[in-house]
């Protein structure tokens, strides 16, 4: 399928080329030229498939340059090392609420759902376009993307990967996961600054013509594994369709019955994938966008003004500590009826003044599909405790933000529609905060004793990928200033 840039609809690439490029030359994001429709009949057929097969079918709607078998090979490899055969199991919490667990991959966060697939898509793209260049994947991470990308791309032939993470912005375990990364082609650096600093630095490298020319000379082309890459977005659409199909199969809903999705949101990739599923015809009532104390999106949805110049807070849900949600641009493109000129105007205002205001019509359209809310730290912690006491189910802090916002929504709207809360991380990734929330944090213990303690308290098995970290060697110790990111990339290529 042809994709187009959100800033120039005449700038088109097919989906595979778009995966190779990551971001469009004009700084826009690639979006599908149309949304392929899926009927209820198709969803019913999907309900009988394995997750890998279902995902391949959904991907094929966008990557129709590849045959379905090639895509099945990619998804079977990607989801083969998940620790639950359902891949994205749906857990029933009560009569109206379900949790979609997206953290059964190797790094215990939902990023694996897409980042295990992306290397396969990228390789297929290179093959399809007879591209012989080496690829340098650049990633800015708020914690989970970095590790998931490193795991996805490690030892991939013809590909190097460089991850920048904010020195002070990730959890101990997230840091440990990255600095112990194995693989001959993996590179990791801490940036002195927050996630937005790291992301801005990476965006500047992509836009730097001289640097890109130099890389080309050395036989390299840059690509992105951040959620602005369409190859990240497309695999995420699949689990919304899978969740709906599973609900149908389990008898939780009738064919055609609308559901709500609640998504703990940062860069807006996950939430946007739900919106795309709705545009494809999946019956959705409300898309509920949940934020933590960095509630820039809540304000945006309520007021129609995006104000990024505000205080930045570090929270217990670090993967949502974001002030500029890049993927929102794709939503703006759709709600303006694909009006590139408005998108351009707002994006330059955001760059120059840190703020833009959308028109009333677009705002009204947004509010038809979306509800937005946020949860502070105290409330998030209380939610972890409440849900554990009520259901013996342990939420991680990101998912707890979503749960809290859903509870607020229920109080305000009294909406009986069946609801899927998207669970984005294993509680084991955030042991100290989770135990603290449960009122059971032992004093002066290291991360690994806490992991054992959480296992005792919750009765959940400790995932292998986390217990084995203890014995891994630290292999990446580089710390750089944000001004040095470019130099770091040049040093890597040599
Ligand atoms: C990345 C991440 C999020 C935010 O997802 P976006 O697609 O960036 O909005 C939420 N929770 C966890 C655990 C994450 O890793």
């Amino acid at each position: 399928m042809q994709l187009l840039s959100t800033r120039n609809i005449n700038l088109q690439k097919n989906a595979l080329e778009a995966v190779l490029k990551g971001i469009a030359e004009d700084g826009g994001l690639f979006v599908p030229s149309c949304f392929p429709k899926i009927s209820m009949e198709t969803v019913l057929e999907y309900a009988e498939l394995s997750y890998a097969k279902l995902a391949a079918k959904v991907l094929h709607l966008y990557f129709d340059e590849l045959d379905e078998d090639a895509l099945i090979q990619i998804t079977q490899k990607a989801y083969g090392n998940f620790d639950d055969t359902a891949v994205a199991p749906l857990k029933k919490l009560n009569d109206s609420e379900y949790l979609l667990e997206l953290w059964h991959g190797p790094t215990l966060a939902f990023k694996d759902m897409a980042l295990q697939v992306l290397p396969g898509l990228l390789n297929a793209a290179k093959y399809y376009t007879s591209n012989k260049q080496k690829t340098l994947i650049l990633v800015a991470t708020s914690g989970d993307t970095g590790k998931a990308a490193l795991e996805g791309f490690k030892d991939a032939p013809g590909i190097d990967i460089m991850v920048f993470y904010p020195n002070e912005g990730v959890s101990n375990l997230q840091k440990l996961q990255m600095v112990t990364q194995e693989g001959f082609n993996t590179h990791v650096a801490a940036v002195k600054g927050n996630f937005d600093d790291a992301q801005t630095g990476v965006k500047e490298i992509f836009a730097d013509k001289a640097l890109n020319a130099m890389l080309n000379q050395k036989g390299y082309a840059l690509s992105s594994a951040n959620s602005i890459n369409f190859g990240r977005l497309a695999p995420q659409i699949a689990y919304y369709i899978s969740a709906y199909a599973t609900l149908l199969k389990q008898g939780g809903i009738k064919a055609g019955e609308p559901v709500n999705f609640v998504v703990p949101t940062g860069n807006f990739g996950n939430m946007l994938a739900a919106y795309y599923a709705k545009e494809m015809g999946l019956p959705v009532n409300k898309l509920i966008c949940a934020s933590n104390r960095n509630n820039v999106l809540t304000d945006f949805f309520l007021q129609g003004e995006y104000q990024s110049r505000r205080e930045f807070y570090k929270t217990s849900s670090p993967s949502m500590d974001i002030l500029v949600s890049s993927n929102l641009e794709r939503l703006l493109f759709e709600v303006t009826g694909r009006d590139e000129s408005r998108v351009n105007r707002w994006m330059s205002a955001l760059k120059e003044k840190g703020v833009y205001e959308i028109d009333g019509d677009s705002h009204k359209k947004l509010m038809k599909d979306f509800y937005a809310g946020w949860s502070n730290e105290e409330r998030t912690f209380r939610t972890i405790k409440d849900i554990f006491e009520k259901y013996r189910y342990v939420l991680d802090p990101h998912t707890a933000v979503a749960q809290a916002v859903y509870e607020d929504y229920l109080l305000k709207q009294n909406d009986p529609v069946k609801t899927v809360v998207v669970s984005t991380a294993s509680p084991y990734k955030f042991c100290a905060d989770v135990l603290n929330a449960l009122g059971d944090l032992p004093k002066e213990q290291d991360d690994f004793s806490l992991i054992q303690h959480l296992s005792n308290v919750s009765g959940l098995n400790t995932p292998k990928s986390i217990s084995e970290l203890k014995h891994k060697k630290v292999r990446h110790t580089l710390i750089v200033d944000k001004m040095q990111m470019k130099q770091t990339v040049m040093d890597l290529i040599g």
Side-chain angles (χ1 to χ4, degrees):
M1 170 188 289
Q2 289 295 108
L3 305 194
L4 16 125
S5 164
T6 47
R7 301 193 191 175
N8 175 2
I9 55 174
N10 295 317
L11 203 171
Q12 304 203 355
K13 295 261 181 280
N14 74 38
L16 288 169
E17 289 165 336
V19 167
L20 271 178
K21 287 222 91 70
I23 190 164
E25 281 123 74
D26 60 354
L29 307 185
F30 286 113
V31 290
S33 51
C34 66
F35 289 105
K37 298 290 176 210
I38 43 161
S39 65
M40 226 357 83
E41 250 165 47
T42 308
V43 176
L44 280 165
E45 282 164 25
Y46 284 4
E48 303 304 319
L49 301 178
S50 70
Y51 187 85
K53 287 213 166 126
L54 182 153
K57 288 212 180 274
V58 174
L59 285 171
H60 192 238
L61 297 171
Y62 293 96
F63 293 91
D64 50 7
E65 301 86 5
L66 297 173
D67 55 45
E68 205 177 295
D69 283 343
L71 285 163
I72 289 179
Q73 272 184 18
I74 291 172
T75 55
Q76 281 182 336
K77 178 160 187 282
Y79 298 119
N81 52 355
F82 276 51
D83 71 9
D84 190 305
T85 47
V87 179
L90 191 68
K91 302 277 165 78
K92 183 170 180 170
L93 200 64
N94 57 44
D95 283 344
S96 58
E97 183 184 348
Y98 297 78
L99 284 152
L100 180 63
E101 293 181 350
L102 299 180
W103 39 261
H104 290 278
T107 75
L108 309 179
F110 96 96
K111 304 290 193 296
D112 291 328
M113 298 299 300
L115 279 165
Q116 286 291 315
V117 177
L118 186 60
L121 289 177
L122 197 74
N123 266 330
K126 281 177 148 188
Y127 185 77
Y128 175 85
T129 58
S130 313
N131 181 322
K132 301 274 187 314
Q133 276 182 313
K134 283 186 270 186
T135 306
L136 175 58
I137 304 279
L138 283 188
V139 182
T141 182
S142 57
D144 291 329
T145 304
K147 178 61 181 179
L150 289 162
E151 271 302 308
F153 283 102
K154 79 169 175 210
D155 298 328
I159 298 178
D160 269 277
I161 171 162
M162 169 94 233
V163 170
F164 292 102
Y165 70 90
N167 199 21
E168 301 294 320
V170 301
S171 79
N172 281 344
L173 270 175
Q174 285 177 320
K175 189 181 266 186
L176 200 57
Q177 280 185 316
M178 288 188 276
V179 297
T180 57
Q181 178 64 47
E182 289 154 3
F184 68 84
N185 59 345
T186 58
H187 314 272
V188 178
V191 178
K192 295 177 195 157
N194 61 33
F195 170 68
D196 287 312
D197 294 322
Q199 176 158 264
T200 304
V202 164
K203 279 187 182 165
E204 281 170 6
I205 294 173
F206 273 105
D208 188 323
K209 294 222 165 75
L211 177 61
N212 277 274
M214 189 210 87
L215 290 171
N216 274 333
Q217 245 177 18
K218 304 253 180 199
Y220 275 90
L222 288 180
S223 188
S224 152
N226 274 102
S227 62
I228 48 177
N229 191 316
F230 185 72
R232 279 280 301 278
L233 197 49
Q236 295 182 349
I237 302 169
Y239 50 71
Y240 289 102
I241 298 172
S242 160
Y244 192 93
T246 309
L247 265 175
L248 264 179
K249 194 174 176 181
Q250 293 175 353
I253 52 172
K254 295 194 195 68
E257 185 177 332
V259 299
N260 299 318
F261 289 111
V262 191
V263 181
T265 297
N267 220 4
F268 207 74
N270 201 0
M271 187 81 261
L272 186 79
Y275 176 79
Y276 277 16
K278 180 177 197 297
E279 292 298 290
M280 291 169 74
L282 199 70
V284 173
N285 176 47
K286 280 283 177 196
L287 298 165
I288 300 174
C289 175
S291 300
N292 65 23
R293 194 180 174 198
N294 296 294
N295 54 1
V296 55
L297 283 168
T298 315
D299 288 348
F300 169 71
F301 277 108
L302 292 181
Q303 291 150 21
E305 181 185 82
Y306 196 95
Q307 177 53 271
S308 69
R309 302 230 165 122
R310 53 171 74 214
E311 203 172 330
F312 177 85
Y313 301 105
K314 277 196 281 178
T315 73
S316 59
S317 43
S319 297
M320 299 159 71
D321 290 346
I322 289 176
L323 294 182
V324 178
S325 294
S326 309
N327 272 300
L328 198 60
E329 182 170 343
R330 287 181 160 121
L331 180 64
L332 296 175
F333 183 74
E334 299 304 332
V335 295
T336 55
R338 308 196 140 195
D339 179 1
E340 58 188 21
S341 68
R342 267 180 282 175
V343 174
N344 271 298
R345 194 150 20 93
W346 297 336
M347 289 304 114
S348 356
L350 179 66
K351 195 164 177 212
E352 280 148 29
K353 304 192 216 96
V355 56
Y356 61 87
E357 190 179 352
I358 63 171
D359 59 278
D361 273 356
S362 302
H363 187 223
K364 237 187 249 151
K365 262 201 217 158
L366 278 183
M367 294 315 284
K368 239 182 77 215
D369 288 335
F370 287 88
Y371 172 93
W374 68 284
S375 169
N376 64 25
E377 291 289 272
E378 193 214 326
R379 178 72 197 287
T380 302
F381 278 43
R382 191 155 31 92
T383 303
I384 294 175
K385 189 170 199 303
D386 286 352
I387 294 295
F388 184 66
E389 283 173 357
K390 237 179 165 161
Y391 304 104
R392 297 275 122 188
Y393 186 95
V394 189
L395 298 169
D396 95 287
H398 302 77
T399 311
V401 167
Q403 177 67 29
V405 168
Y406 175 55
E407 288 172 13
D408 285 348
Y409 169 80
L410 278 182
L411 280 179
K412 283 197 193 116
Q413 313 277 330
N414 198 19
D415 175 8
V417 168
K418 299 270 165 48
T419 297
V420 175
V421 172
V422 175
S423 175
T424 50
S426 155
Y428 276 103
K429 247 188 144 158
F430 306 93
C431 270
D433 283 326
V434 169
L435 284 167
N436 197 4
L438 296 176
D440 202 346
L441 182 64
K443 281 215 181 72
E444 290 168 39
Q445 291 213 9
D446 64 29
D447 286 323
F448 294 99
S449 321
L450 294 182
I451 286 165
Q452 187 51 50
H453 193 66
L454 181 58
S455 173
N456 297 343
V457 171
S458 67
L460 279 171
N461 287 333
T462 310
K464 191 166 126 260
S465 59
I466 222 161
S467 45
E468 69 187 16
L469 274 181
K470 194 174 180 173
H471 308 289
K472 286 204 168 161
K473 211 173 92 206
V474 172
R475 306 176 73 238
H476 307 274
T477 52
L478 192 60
I479 302 178
V480 301
D481 215 73
K482 57 185 172 184
M483 305 306 291
Q484 295 173 308
M485 289 170 63
K486 239 176 240 178
Q487 189 58 46
T488 310
V489 168
M490 293 202 277
D491 291 348
L492 190 162
I493 301 305

